[in-house]
Amino acid sequence: QVQLVESGGGLVQAGGSLRLSCAASGRIHSINAMGWYRQAPGKQRELVASITGGGSTNYADSVNGRFTISRDNAKNTVYLQMNSLKPEDTAVYYCNADLRTVRSYKWNDYWGQGTQITVSS
């Protein structure tokens, strides 16, 4: 019923930039917070950045000042602008949305399929 589709991943050299997009579609009534998580090989999934429906943002210390999260509520889309990328940013990046579907009163977490970011040194 609901899909989160990410785009914009790939290979980049250290110091470069990438922009991720994630569009939510389907029978969506409302979206609360949206965010980006990442998981590197052998590590747990961690929060990178999140943004509320009102635009309040939160960042992991490791990306603060380099990454910027934003959203377009009319398009149900969240973005992650990543600048000054480092090899340690290499991971699979996942989009997340806390949303209600049509004719439901429950808020649930939905996830995208993940997109690989590889930063070469």
Side-chain angles (χ1 to χ4, degrees), residues 86-115:
K86 303 176 181 179
E88 50 263 45
D89 294 319
T90 295
V92 178
Y93 284 69
Y94 297 90
C95 171
N96 170 269
D98 177 32
L99 62 84
R100 271 180 58 191
T101 55
V102 172
R103 291 193 291 182
S104 171
Y105 293 100
K106 290 183 61 178
W107 294 87
N108 289 300
D109 268 345
Y110 289 82
W111 293 89
Q113 79 283 0
T115 185

Side-chain angles (χ1 to χ4, degrees), residues 4-105:
L4 273 62
V5 179
E6 298 131 340
S7 60
L11 173 65
V12 65
Q13 287 189 333
S17 298
L18 283 174
R19 188 188 194 216
L20 300 181
S21 300
C22 172
S25 63
R27 298 175 60 79
I28 297 170
H29 179 276
S30 307
I31 301 179
N32 189 9
M34 302 184 82
W36 291 94
Y37 289 71
R38 68 186 181 187
Q39 187 166 18
K43 295 188 177 181
Q44 288 189 330
R45 190 173 296 188
E46 62 175 359
L47 174 68
V48 176
S50 63
I51 184 168
T52 66
S56 296
T57 58
N58 180 52
Y59 295 94
D61 289 344
S62 58
V63 307
N64 200 17
R66 300 187 296 121
F67 291 10
T68 302
I69 190 170
S70 60
R71 64 190 282 175
D72 184 334
N73 290 331
K75 295 181 180 179
N76 290 338
T77 299
V78 63
Y79 306 95
L80 186 68
Q81 177 66 43
M82 303 182 290
N83 298 329
S84 303
L85 282 159
K86 303 176 181 179
E88 50 263 45
D89 294 319
T90 295
V92 178
Y93 284 69
Y94 297 90
C95 171
N96 170 269
D98 177 32
L99 62 84
R100 271 180 58 191
T101 55
V102 172
R103 291 193 291 182
S104 171
Y105 293 100

